[in-house]
């Protein structure tokens, strides 16, 4: 809003232009109201007319239909009193907006039907008096008939059969009305055929194609085109979300989710549009929106999830059932009010038809992040889903349950988790009574068991500090229970968890090389100390059962293996192998299959880490033979997973894919939380990428991320999702990418700032790039500008700021905002000075030079050349440091850009000289030369400058003909096409 009222008409017009660039909503509307007040201080009526037109537009597209007719009445009075004030443009706008008022009045049930008809009569009379065609009037008459639920046959023919005029609705809007006429008649195919130009993007306006898309979704499903419905839902929803003037469209997208098995996504979109409950002032739009909301919520209720939280009216929390009841009451009332005004039952009937509609598909995968209502939980990390394969029956009797849990725990069996979960529930109950059974032992022993199991789960989720504390607490309780051997195991586990804390902390710190090195060294030292402490603990603990001693040996070798993994030092290999051999010998002697397998797996992974992949494969194959013959079978998925990763290291993606696929198949035999299937899916994604199957890789990435999210590993999950988003963008699946990122960024912990800010920034950066790829330049630029401002404070990572600021500068340049583009480029250069991003900055500066010269011509030449001078200094820096670019040679690319920039600015001799330099740097292409395309483009542009702009046809042809012959002889036929076409044009024009 303006800080001070405009004091002159020039200031007023400038303020009106600035307000026109704002999005529709309260800010724009309030500013428009203030500008009308400001316009009234001037004696001239024209500024007031402009201000009133802006205010009516703000009311119309800000969903405030009650106020729009009031403003128009003032405009009409001014027109009647001072018609000469209205030039052709203002007169056109005035008569255009008769339709806006007709539409506004239909949306208000308190306006009598007679008043609606009277307004249409007024519109017709005014049009006839002004000598204007009546097609727009008949269009409004048809829309009123449709609104009332009358027979529209005649009204439709009177409108659709007439020739369009300058005041007719735009092609896109009229297309939508014609399609809706066919849709109401039950002809889905004809409606979709009519809609095609709009759905294909050939016709558009302020409201289209978003409005048409929302209506076309269900017809597309009914005619079997689910894929297109999915694609249009993603693109169309983004065009209307959170927009009060498009709340009806949002309601239809919610309905689409409810009828395609995407109720969870529907609740997510409802939360994103919570503002619409309070910001929509149009009763008709409210009715359409609330009906879509009710379709969704009643479906959620029907599926037994009425207790789930739902976003609704402000001031209280809602469940799906509670909100559904509230929405039903309000929407029923609105429909009744419209029907009472109209004297029909049309709105109640239409509403009932939507609510009674059965699902059209059981499940349609709308986004890369498909979830069910079972996976939606209120404000907490998702609990593991139900096991895919049920565990062995959990004993009902408490003593048997305790003994069974301990027996399975000794074996490392996956079904132990189900027993512990049942015991945890029983022990937590108020009426729990511990059995007096010597075999079970005292309650303190059971509490220690439960703490140790909880600690193990914390360790699996990399919550090492929590795990260490729980293991220590368990050890103390084991001591109280008189079982020092169990206490020793718990303390050894605490030692290992404590040693892993430095590594976990290093992963959350900024990636500064020196700090990373020190972190790895600290972790290696901590693991060395932990191993020594475990050895002492082992020696000082008498009476260990074989399975306990084997577990202590396993902890010892694990500590050394983790040390090797962190340090990568050759001298750390032999100690791991020695301890693994010790474990293997002990487990073999006492016939402990799980620890035999563990020892062999640690040996194989040690060979892999040390770079001896053939030895690793040999060891893994022997282990797999043993597991298939003797078990334990639940070790097969993990072992196959390791073999798959080793095969990837050996550059054998087919073999890796086979191993990892079998690993997933074997994992399906066990409870979902027993096997790290997220890792298997992630590795399969890598194998698929090597095999050229990116779409399959994307499915595995999203599956991996969702599994990580369910087990509480949120940082890992968001990292994997980030990779999936970037891959989907690389595949050109722009709307998939945006929808996925919108879903992630709406997560409560992200919105609350609880997730790592750099990870969130990466998600936002990918989203901004996707918006740019989707040609939403305004939204992309806004996000980039915000990210550039935030990253300016990343003193530990100036290189990332350089990258973001450079991309921001280019988008600002594409938007024509060259002052801010220069500021962003300067930020990028300053950050580059601290952490060089040579190729990135060179590309950015050259592009900015091109954009400014292309947009501004000679007026922008000086600024464009300044960008190229900066790019020249970066090219000098690259040569001085021996930097080798991954793409084009920087000097050659710069010379070409000098040619293009000067050509845009009309400095043709300078352009030709620069292009000659580029050609000299490139040299003539040879056979198989990858630079043939770049050389051909330089030749083409030089010939354009020479032959067309400088009108030197003969020299231009003398340049083109040998180039065409050379490229043809070398087999570069594609590169010759543009040159051949240009040569023909020059000869024709000569």
């Amino acid at each position: 809003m303006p800080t001070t009222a405009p004091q002159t008409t020039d200031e007023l017009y400038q303020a009106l232009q600035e307000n026109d660039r704002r999005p529709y909503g309260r800010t724009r509307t309030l500013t428009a109201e203030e500008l009308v007040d400001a316009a009234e201080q001037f004696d001239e009526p024209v500024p007031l007319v402009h201000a009133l037109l802006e205010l009516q537009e703000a009311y119309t597209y800000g969903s405030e239909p009650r106020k729009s007719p009031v403003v128009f009445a003032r405009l009409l009075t001014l027109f009647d009193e001072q018609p000469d004030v209205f030039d052709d443009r203002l007169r056109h706008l005035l008569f255009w907006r008769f339709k806006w008022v007709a539409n506004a009045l239909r949306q208000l049930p308190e306006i009598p039907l007679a008043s609606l008809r009277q307004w249409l009569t007024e519109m017709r009379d005014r049009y006839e008096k002004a000598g204007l065609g009546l097609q727009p009037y008949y269009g409004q008459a048809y829309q009123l008939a449709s609104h009332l639920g009358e027979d529209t046959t005649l009204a439709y023919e009177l409108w659709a059969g007439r020739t369009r005029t300058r005041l007719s609705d735009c092609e896109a809007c009229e297309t939508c009305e014609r399609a809706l006429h066919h849709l109401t008649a039950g002809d889905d195919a004809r409606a979709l055929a009519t809609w095609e130009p709009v759905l294909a993007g050939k016709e558009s306006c302020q409201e289209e194609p978003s409005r048409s898309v929302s209506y076309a979704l269900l017809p597309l499903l009914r005619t079997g085109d689910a894929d297109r419905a999915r694609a249009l839902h993603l693109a169309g929803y983004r065009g209307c979300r959170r927009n009060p003037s498009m709340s009806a469209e949002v309601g239809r997208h919610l309905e689409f989710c409810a009828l395609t098995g995407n109720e969870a996504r529907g609740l997510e979109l409802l939360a994103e549009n919570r503002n619409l409950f309070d910001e929509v002032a149009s009763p008709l739009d409210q009715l359409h929106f609330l009906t879509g909301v009710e379709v969704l919520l009643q479906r959620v209720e029907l599926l037994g999830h009425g207790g789930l939280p739902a976003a609704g009216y402000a001031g209280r929390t809602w469940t799906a059932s509670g909100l559904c009841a509230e929405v039903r009451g309000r929407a029923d009332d609105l429909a009744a009010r419209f029907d009472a005004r109209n004297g029909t039952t049309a709105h109640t009937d239409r509403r009932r038809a939507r609510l009674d509609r059965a699902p059209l598909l059981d499940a349609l995968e709308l986004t890369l992040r498909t979830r069910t209502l079972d996976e939606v939980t209120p404000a907490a990390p998702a609990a593991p889903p139900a096991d895919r394969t049920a565990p062995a029956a959990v004993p009902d009797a408490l003593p048997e349950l305790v003994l069974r849990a301990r027996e399975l725990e000794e074996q490392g069996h996956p079904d132990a988790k189900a027993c512990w979960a049942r015991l945890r529930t029983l022990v937590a109950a108020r009426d729990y009574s511990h059995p007096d059974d010597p075999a079970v032992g005292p309650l303190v022993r059971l509490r220690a068991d439960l703490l140790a199991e909880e600690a193990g789960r914390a360790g699996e989720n990399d919550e090492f500090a929590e795990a260490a504390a729980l293991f220590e607490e368990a050890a103390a309780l084991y001591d109280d229970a008189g079982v020092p051997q169990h206490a020793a195991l718990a303390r050894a586990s605490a030692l290992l968890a404590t040693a892993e804390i430095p590594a976990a902390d290093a992963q959350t710190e900024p990636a500064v090389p020196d700090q990373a090195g020190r972190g790895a060294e600290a972790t290696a030292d901590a693991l060395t100390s932990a191993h020594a402490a475990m050895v002492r603990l082992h020696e000082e603990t008498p009476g260990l059962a074989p399975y306990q001693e084997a577990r202590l040996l396993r902890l010892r070798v694990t500590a050394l293996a983790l040390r090797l993994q962190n340090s990568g030092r050759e001298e750390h290999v032999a100690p791991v192998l020695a301890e693994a051999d010790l474990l293997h010998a002990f487990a073999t002697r006492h016939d402990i299959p799980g620890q035999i397998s563990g020892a062999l797996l640690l040996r194989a992974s040690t060979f892999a880490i040390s770079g001896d992949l053939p030895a690793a494969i040999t060891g893994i194959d022997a282990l797999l033979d043993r597991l298939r013959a003797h078990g334990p079978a639940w070790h097969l998925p993990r072992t196959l997973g390791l073999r798959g990763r080793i095969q990837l290291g050996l550059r054998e993606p087919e073999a890796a894919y086979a191993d990892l696929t079998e690993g997933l198949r074997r994992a399906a035999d066990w409870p979902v939380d027993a096997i790290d299937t997220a890792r298997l899916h992630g590795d399969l994604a890598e194998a698929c990428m090597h095999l050229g199957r990116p779409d399959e890789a994307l499915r595995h990435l999203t599956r991996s991320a969702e599994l990580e999210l369910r087990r509480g590993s949120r940082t890992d999950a968001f990292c994997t999702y980030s990779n999936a988003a970037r891959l989907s963008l690389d595949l050109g699946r722009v709307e998939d990418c945006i929808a996925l990122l919108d879903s992630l960024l709406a997560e409560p912990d992200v919105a609350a700032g609880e997730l790592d800010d750099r990870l969130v920034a990466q998600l936002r950066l990918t989203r901004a790039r996707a918006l740019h790829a989707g040609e939403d330049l305004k939204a992309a630029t806004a996000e980039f500008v915000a990210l550039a401002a935030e990253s300016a404070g990343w003193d530990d990572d100036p290189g990332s700021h350089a990258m973001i600021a450079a991309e921001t500068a280019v988008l600002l340049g594409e938007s024509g905002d060259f002052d801010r583009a220069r500021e962003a480029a300067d930020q990028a250069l300053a950050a580059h000075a601290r952490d060089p991003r040579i190729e990135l900055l060179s590309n950015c500066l050259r592009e900015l030079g091109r954009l400014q010269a292309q947009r501004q011509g000679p007026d922008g030449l000086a600024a464009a050349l300044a960008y190229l001078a900066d790019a020249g200094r970066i090219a000098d820096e690259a040569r001085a440091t021996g930097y080798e670019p991954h793409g084009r040679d920087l000097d050659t690319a710069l010379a070409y850009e000098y040619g293009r920039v000067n050509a845009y600015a009309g400095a043709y001799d300078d352009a030709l000289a620069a292009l000659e330099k580029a050609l000299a740097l490139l040299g003539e292409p040879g056979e198989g030369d990858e630079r043939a395309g770049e050389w051909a483009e330089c030749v083409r542009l030089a010939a354009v400058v020479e032959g067309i702009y400088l009108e030197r046809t003969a020299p231009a042809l003398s340049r083109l003909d040998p180039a065409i012959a050379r490229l043809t002889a070398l087999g570069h036929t594609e590169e010759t096409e543009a040159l051949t076409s240009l040569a023909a044009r020059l000869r024709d024009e000569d």
Side-chain angles (χ1 to χ4, degrees):
M1 290 181 286
T3 54
T4 58
Q7 300 302 308
T8 66
T9 55
D10 286 344
E11 291 180 1
L12 176 70
Y13 286 131
Q14 182 179 352
L16 286 169
Q17 288 177 354
E18 292 173 355
N19 201 40
D20 187 57
R21 290 193 288 268
R22 291 190 174 97
Y24 295 109
R26 289 305 301 156
T27 300
R28 177 167 176 167
T29 300
L30 290 172
T31 303
E33 290 171 343
E34 292 180 1
L35 292 176
V36 168
D37 293 340
E40 289 175 332
Q41 70 179 313
F42 304 115
D43 293 334
E44 306 173 49
V46 175
L48 178 59
V49 170
H50 282 280
L52 288 170
L53 287 168
E54 164 61 23
L55 180 58
Q56 189 191 13
E57 181 176 344
Y59 285 148
T60 299
Y61 289 108
S63 189
E64 296 191 62
R66 289 183 174 87
K67 297 179 180 180
S68 173
V70 177
V71 177
F72 188 75
R74 292 188 64 185
L75 283 165
L76 203 54
T77 299
L78 282 168
F79 177 74
D80 289 338
E81 294 174 351
Q82 304 179 66
D84 293 342
V85 166
F86 289 74
D87 60 18
D88 288 345
R89 176 179 172 276
L90 294 178
R91 184 174 177 274
H92 177 83
L93 288 173
L94 179 82
F95 279 95
W96 182 277
R97 295 187 180 191
F98 273 89
K99 299 179 295 180
W100 286 12
V101 175
N103 181 59
L105 296 177
R106 285 197 302 273
Q107 296 181 56
L108 305 172
E110 64 268 27
I111 303 297
L113 180 58
S115 297
L116 270 66
R117 297 192 187 282
Q118 182 180 347
W119 178 252
L120 289 184
T121 301
E122 173 80 6
M123 178 180 175
R124 176 173 184 148
D125 291 345
R126 292 268 188 172
Y127 270 50
E128 286 181 332
K129 183 178 179 181
L132 300 171
L134 293 181
Q135 195 261 10
Y137 157 76
Y138 282 109
Q140 292 302 311
Y142 162 72
Q143 290 183 40
L144 177 58
S146 176
H147 172 82
L148 297 175
E150 298 176 342
D151 183 353
T152 60
T153 304
L154 177 59
Y156 179 78
E157 290 302 325
L158 287 171
W159 161 61
R162 273 181 159 75
T163 303
R164 287 172 45 79
T165 75
R166 289 181 62 244
L167 289 169
S168 297
D169 285 343
C170 74
E171 291 275 9
C173 287
E174 289 205 344
T175 295
C176 185
E177 290 299 334
R178 289 195 299 272
L180 287 175
H181 178 73
H182 300 312
L183 187 65
T184 302
D187 193 340
D188 286 344
R190 189 173 180 186
L192 290 170
T194 303
W195 258 317
E196 184 56 32
V198 177
L199 300 182
K202 297 176 181 177
E203 298 173 4
S204 64
C205 68
Q206 177 73 32
E207 298 175 342
E208 296 291 352
S210 295
R211 181 167 179 254
S212 290
V213 164
S214 71
Y215 279 112
L217 296 174
L218 300 186
L220 284 167
L221 291 180
R222 289 194 292 262
T223 55
D225 200 347
D227 288 342
R228 193 174 191 199
R230 173 189 181 277
L232 287 174
H233 162 69
L234 294 179
Y237 169 70
R238 187 161 57 83
C240 62
R241 64 178 185 166
R242 297 196 295 268
N243 184 345
S245 70
M246 304 204 81
S247 57
E249 284 74 11
V250 172
R252 287 187 282 274
H253 281 280
L254 297 177
E255 181 179 359
F256 175 73
C257 290
L259 299 181
T260 56
N262 286 278
E263 297 83 5
R265 173 167 169 80
L267 290 176
E268 184 179 294
L269 301 190
L270 181 61
E272 188 176 19
N273 291 277
R274 186 172 192 166
N275 65 302
L276 299 184
F277 284 103
D278 303 307
E279 294 180 10
V280 178
S282 162
L284 188 60
D285 286 348
Q286 284 182 13
L287 172 61
H288 294 323
F289 170 65
L290 293 178
T291 300
V293 172
E294 188 180 349
V295 171
L296 170 67
L297 296 177
Q298 74 173 9
R299 181 69 185 158
V300 172
E301 273 194 300
L302 183 64
L303 294 173
H305 294 276
L308 283 174
Y313 295 95
R316 60 164 286 187
T317 58
W318 298 91
T319 63
S321 294
L323 181 60
C324 189
E326 178 72 17
V327 163
R328 181 179 298 117
R330 296 192 187 212
D332 281 345
D333 177 65
L334 284 168
R337 289 173 61 199
F338 276 107
D339 286 343
R341 190 269 302 274
N342 298 340
T344 66
T345 61
H347 288 277
T348 297
D349 294 343
R350 291 167 186 167
R351 177 171 146 70
R352 178 49 49 196
R354 289 177 72 182
L355 292 169
D356 290 346
R357 190 173 282 138
L360 298 175
L361 291 175
D362 291 334
L364 173 63
E365 186 176 309
L366 290 182
T367 70
L368 296 174
R369 191 187 183 200
T370 300
R371 293 184 294 172
T372 66
L373 290 173
D374 291 325
E375 296 160 357
V376 177
T377 57
D387 294 345
R388 289 172 292 175
T389 300
V394 175
D396 291 327
L398 186 59
E400 286 82 355
L401 178 59
V402 174
L403 296 176
R404 180 61 174 160
R406 288 171 179 165
E407 177 189 3
L408 293 173
E409 186 68 25
E410 288 179 14
Q411 300 171 14
H413 198 289
D415 288 344
K417 292 189 176 186
C419 295
W420 291 125
R422 176 64 179 153
L423 282 167
R424 183 169 287 103
T425 301
L426 293 173
V427 172
R430 288 187 175 182
D431 59 350
Y432 175 75
S433 177
H434 192 70
D436 184 13
D437 186 332
V440 173
L443 176 59
V444 67
R445 161 80 189 276
L446 180 56
R447 292 193 184 280
D449 290 337
L450 293 172
L451 279 172
E453 194 272 339
E454 184 182 353
R457 286 188 287 112
E460 290 172 1
N461 291 331
D462 296 341
E463 298 168 356
F464 298 117
E466 176 73 7
L470 289 170
F471 275 126
E472 289 288 1
E473 190 177 350
L477 293 182
Y478 280 131
D479 282 334
D480 293 343
V483 281
Q485 298 82 9
H486 287 280
L489 273 177
R491 288 195 172 92
S493 299
L495 286 168
L496 182 60
T498 302
E500 292 189 82
I501 293 173
D505 290 344
Q507 290 177 3
T508 61
E509 293 297 323
V512 179
D514 289 345
Q515 291 181 10
R518 289 195 296 272
E521 185 177 341
T523 300
D525 291 343
L527 289 164
T528 300
S529 300
H531 176 263
M534 288 180 198
V535 172
R536 289 194 298 272
L537 188 63
H538 191 173
E539 293 170 347
E540 295 167 1
T541 306
L544 289 165
Y547 85 89
Q548 292 172 324
E549 190 160 358
R551 188 165 292 183
L552 263 174
L553 287 168
R554 177 72 171 271
L555 288 168
R556 285 166 52 174
V557 68
T558 300
L560 294 181
L562 288 171
R563 181 181 68 174
L564 171 62
Q565 184 176 317
N566 269 273
S567 71
R569 286 155 57 177
E570 186 177 349
E571 62 267 29
H572 288 162
V573 174
V576 183
L577 295 175
E579 285 277 44
D581 287 343
L582 187 62
L583 170 60
H584 183 263
F586 182 88
T588 301
R589 187 163 61 251
H590 293 279
D591 192 22
I592 308 175
Q595 298 297 1
I596 295 173
S597 167
L600 294 173
L601 191 65
L602 281 164
R603 279 184 59 84
S605 60
T606 300
F607 285 127
I609 292 171
S610 65
D612 191 350
L613 298 185
I617 285 289
T618 300
I620 284 286
D621 288 345
L623 174 56
L624 285 171
D625 290 342
R626 176 182 173 82
L627 290 173
R628 290 182 174 117
H630 306 291
W634 62 87
H635 282 200
L636 274 168
R638 180 175 58 178
T639 306
L640 287 163
L642 178 57
R643 192 179 195 279
R645 290 192 292 278
I646 294 171
Q647 294 286 15
L648 286 173
L650 290 169
R651 300 183 181 180
E652 296 288 348
E654 286 282 4
Y657 184 89
D659 288 334
L660 293 165
T661 302
E662 185 185 354
L664 269 183
R665 182 174 60 79
R666 297 276 189 173
D669 296 334
W670 304 100
V672 71
D673 57 348
I675 310 294
D676 188 1
T677 48
R679 177 72 181 272
L680 290 171
H681 279 289
D683 292 333
L684 261 171
E686 183 180 351
C688 289
M689 289 301 294
H690 286 296
L691 292 170
R693 304 175 192 169
D695 289 301
E696 186 178 352
L698 188 57
R699 290 196 296 273
H700 285 298
L701 276 177
T702 53
R703 181 61 179 158
S704 175
E706 201 62 32
L707 289 168
E708 288 168 335
L709 202 60
R710 291 179 197 174
R711 73 181 187 191
S713 302
R714 296 188 69 78
T715 298
D716 290 341
F718 277 88
C719 285
T720 305
Y721 269 130
S722 178
N723 293 335
R726 289 199 294 271
L727 176 56
S728 65
L729 183 55
D730 290 341
L731 293 174
R733 296 172 61 172
V734 174
E735 296 299 339
D736 278 324
C737 177
I738 295 172
L740 171 61
L741 292 167
D742 283 344
S743 175
L744 296 173
L745 292 169
E747 285 284 319
D749 53 351
V750 177
E754 297 170 2
L755 198 68
D756 178 72
D757 62 338
R758 305 297 172 85
L759 178 52
V760 173
Q762 179 60 63
L763 296 173
R764 291 171 56 200
L765 178 62
T766 304
R767 183 178 182 275
R769 288 169 174 162
L771 289 169
H772 187 211
E775 299 181 355
D776 192 344
L777 184 59
K778 185 176 181 180
T781 303
E783 186 66 276
F784 264 110
V785 168
L787 282 167
E790 291 177 26
S791 62
W794 296 353
D795 293 334
D796 57 292
D797 189 11
S800 291
H801 176 56
M803 171 191 68
I804 294 170
E807 291 191 55
T808 303
V810 171
L811 263 70
L812 287 167
E814 290 181 9
S815 303
D817 193 344
F818 290 109
D819 290 340
R820 294 172 70 201
R822 181 71 254 188
E823 292 174 6
D826 289 340
Q827 288 183 31
L829 286 166
H832 161 81
R834 297 173 56 200
D835 187 2
R837 293 291 188 272
I838 289 176
E839 193 161 6
L840 173 75
L841 262 293
S842 177
N843 294 342
C844 159
L845 294 164
R846 297 196 314 271
E847 178 65 5
L848 285 168
R850 180 193 71 80
L851 286 168
Q852 190 139 20
Q854 184 181 37
R855 294 284 185 91
Q856 298 180 342
D859 293 339
L861 180 58
L865 292 176
Y867 281 124
L868 298 187
D870 288 335
R873 284 186 283 275
I874 288 183
D876 294 341
E877 179 186 339
R879 282 193 304 276
T881 58
Y883 175 83
E884 291 292 334
H886 298 287
R888 298 167 65 191
D889 175 78
L890 301 187
D891 290 309
T892 304
L894 181 59
Y896 171 81
E897 211 59 68
Y898 266 112
R900 188 156 58 164
V901 162
N902 279 295
Y904 282 136
Y908 300 121
D909 288 321
D910 291 339
L912 189 58
L915 292 167
E916 293 283 13
K917 179 181 178 180
L919 287 165
L921 289 169
L922 278 168
E924 289 193 346
E927 190 172 351
D929 195 332
E930 295 179 354
R931 299 178 303 164
E934 186 177 359
W935 183 80
E937 169 57 20
C938 283
V939 170
R940 185 201 66 80
L941 185 55
V944 167
V945 171
E946 199 167 27
I948 296 176
Y949 296 116
L950 292 175
E951 299 181 351
R952 302 172 188 168
T953 304
L957 289 171
S958 297
R959 182 189 303 276
L960 287 169
D961 291 340
I964 293 169
R966 182 169 186 81
L967 290 170
T968 302
L970 293 171
H972 296 296
T973 54
E974 185 176 342
E975 288 80 359
T976 65
E977 293 176 2
L979 303 185
T980 303
S981 174
L982 177 59
R985 175 185 171 185
L986 290 173
R987 287 190 168 90
D988 289 343
E989 292 178 356
D990 190 26

